[in-house]
Amino acid sequence: MFINYAHRGASQYRPENTLISFRYGLELGANGIELDLQETKDGKLVIFHDDTIDCKSNGKGRIADYTYAELKQMDFGGWKGAEFAGTSICLFEDFAKEFLGLDLTFAIELKVPNIEKQTLELIEKYKKHDRIYISSFDYDILAAVRKLCKNVKISWLIQEPIKRENIEKLLAIGGTQICPAAKNATKESVALAKSHGLGVRLWGVTDEAVMRKAYDLDTEGMTVNFPDKLTEWLKLYPRKGIKK
Ligand code: G3P
Ligand code: CA
């Protein structure tokens, strides 16, 4: 099945990585959710992308320098539009309670090291199935995940194109999915990954034109900020490949 991952939720329309963004992603037809994890000063896992809160809240500074209680007092929605003012930052545990039991595929990205154990424990506590990928750009984080858990699915986000070297490196830690940027992906490199038993998920799908081109590459999914557009496209072209 092709997975339409709501990237940070329906982040084109809602403040990213918040509960309202994830819920809206599902309303728009996503069958997957992508999110970013970081740790607060007091060791809580929160869903947030940037190192600092300056652009996506009414606060300032590094997220890791605030406790969850302090972050909870801040507004993580008003930057996106006055109608979203008062939106809170989301604890990963609250997300897990609401979503991990649903019939969806998850891409849970670890943005910082040393949160692997807590992430796996919360997933174990709330999951109802195994369509959960732990992903990161940081290979060492993924290697640490694998040391802690033999069977969780691992997907590696890469900046460079798929090559034999990164395929082998991922296979060495029992990874299942490799994730290049859409602009770096080709039919040949996707086929190479698949010939080694890896799935391919694309990121960096910046607009609908990129999305349509990427859909033709025979991958198992992509993250999009606009899941409604991908939902429409999948209805028009439910099989792989763009109609010529
Ligand atoms: O889908 C993966 C993608 O989220 C990676 O990039 O910067 O949005 O976390 P970024
Ligand atoms: Ca991400």
Side-chain angles (χ1 to χ4, degrees), residues 7-8 17 34-37 49 107-111 135 137 157 201 223:
H7 179 242
R8 312 181 197 172
N17 277 326
E34 190 271 353
L35 59 88
D36 303 293
L37 287 187
H49 179 273
I108 296 173
E109 182 179 349
L110 307 191
K111 284 289 184 201
S135 74
F137 283 102
L157 296 157
R201 165 168 62 91
T223 47

Side-chain angles (χ1 to χ4, degrees), residues 19-231:
L19 287 174
I20 59 171
S21 186
F22 300 125
R23 289 175 190 145
Y24 196 50
L26 302 191
E27 276 182 48
L28 299 183
N31 58 352
I33 292 178
E34 190 271 353
L35 59 88
D36 303 293
L37 287 187
Q38 306 213 38
E39 191 178 27
T40 63
K41 190 178 172 185
D42 56 335
K44 300 262 191 305
L45 287 187
V46 286
I47 307 182
F48 197 69
H49 179 273
D50 303 352
D51 291 341
T52 67
I53 58 173
D54 299 37
C55 299
K56 310 279 166 65
S57 80
N58 60 347
K60 280 206 179 325
R62 293 176 63 240
I63 187 151
D65 290 339
Y66 288 98
T67 64
Y68 173 61
E70 287 167 339
L71 292 167
K72 192 103 174 64
Q73 301 304 314
M74 299 178 194
D75 172 19
F76 281 79
W79 66 274
K80 187 73 177 171
E83 67 272 38
F84 306 121
T87 304
S88 298
I89 194 162
C90 183
L91 266 186
F92 180 53
E93 180 150 16
D94 289 338
F95 172 89
K97 269 183 211 159
E98 180 169 340
F99 292 95
L100 280 195
L102 303 181
D103 184 20
L104 300 166
T105 300
F106 298 92
I108 296 173
E109 182 179 349
L110 307 191
K111 284 289 184 201
V112 292
N114 304 319
I115 59 171
E116 301 87 354
K117 188 164 177 284
Q118 198 186 163
T119 302
L120 289 167
E121 283 169 357
L122 286 171
I123 289 172
E124 199 52 42
K125 186 168 171 193
Y126 292 103
K127 73 168 189 185
K128 292 279 190 300
H129 59 70
D130 289 322
R131 274 170 285 130
I132 299 172
Y133 292 84
I134 304 283
S135 74
S136 187
F137 283 102
D138 186 330
Y139 181 83
D140 294 338
I141 289 178
L142 297 177
V145 167
R146 177 55 76 227
K147 270 200 184 137
L148 291 166
C149 182
K150 275 203 229 39
N151 45 29
V152 69
K153 290 183 171 62
I154 283 180
S155 54
W156 189 18
L157 296 157
I158 54 172
Q159 299 285 359
E160 69 272 23
I162 297 171
K163 290 182 277 192
R164 196 168 291 278
E165 298 76 51
N166 45 37
I167 288 173
E168 282 167 6
K169 216 171 149 184
L170 180 55
L171 289 173
I173 54 165
T176 45
Q177 190 183 60
I178 194 157
C179 308
K183 66 175 169 28
N184 289 334
T186 60
K187 277 194 170 162
E188 293 69 31
S189 62
V190 171
L192 180 68
K194 287 165 93 172
S195 74
H196 286 79
L198 292 175
V200 179
R201 165 168 62 91
L202 301 173
W203 60 274
V205 180
T206 45
D207 58 37
E208 280 182 80
V210 174
M211 175 193 87
R212 291 183 196 129
K213 214 165 148 225
Y215 184 58
D216 208 22
L217 294 178
D218 203 18
T219 67
E220 57 188 18
M222 64 177 92
T223 47
V224 288
N225 301 345
F226 38 81
D228 51 334
K229 306 286 180 2
L230 185 50
T231 301

